[in-house]
Structure formats: C-alpha cells, structure tokens
Amino acid sequence: RVIVRARLEHRHVVIEVHDSGRGIAQDDTAQLFQPFFTTKPQGLGMGLAICRTIIESHGGTITVENVPNAGACFVIRLPAGE
C-alpha cells in the first residue's frame, strides 16, 4: 500500500510518499540516493539518484525516514511558484 500526501508549507510544496513495507535498512539509508546503489538483485540503482537530481535542479530536496511499524516515508520539498 502506498499513500501520497501533498501540502503547502512555508512557501514550499511538500509531497510525502508513505509505503507499508519493511522500511529502509539503517545501513542502506546513507547510500540510498547514490547512483548504482541498489538492494534489488536485478536493480540498476538509478531511480532514486535520478529523482534526486531532478528535484534538486528545481531547488528542492528529497529525504527518507523509516516510520515505526509502518514502512518508509519519502519527503519531497519544492519551492512553490508565485
């Protein structure tokens, strides 16, 4: 199950993407957005690196945190338009 929420917060659009999986292993968190890092046997490790590049090129940030007993939550913050 995936839940997506969006809101305006202090002149930024904040998008939260929650999943209901196991969460991100603590050892993987620091590398998660690095090119070619993957936890999947057939993964390329480019998806989150590309997402981060696009988001940062628009002046935003992307972070991830584990939610106790509820999976992981990716948070994207982008500047709101005028």
Side-chain angles (χ1 to χ4, degrees):
R1 182 172 125 157
V2 176
I3 299 171
V4 179
R5 293 186 183 116
R7 66 181 185 280
L8 283 174
E9 182 179 284
H10 305 290
R11 302 179 92 174
H12 285 84
V13 174
V14 179
I15 303 163
E16 295 180 348
V17 181
H18 296 260
D19 72 20
S20 58
R22 299 175 303 195
I24 309 294
Q26 188 69 26
D27 293 344
D28 295 342
T29 304
Q31 305 175 76
L32 200 59
F33 297 101
Q34 297 300 313
F36 306 111
F37 175 77
T38 183
T39 60
K40 299 177 182 174
Q42 301 299 319
L44 296 177
M46 293 303 296
L48 288 173
I50 291 169
C51 289
R52 182 179 69 173
T53 299
I54 293 168
I55 290 165
E56 288 179 352
S57 75
H58 290 281
T61 60
I62 181 171
T63 58
V64 64
E65 62 184 41
N66 285 321
V67 179
N69 303 314
C73 179
F74 287 83
V75 180
I76 301 163
R77 295 178 59 84
L78 294 165
E82 295 294 319

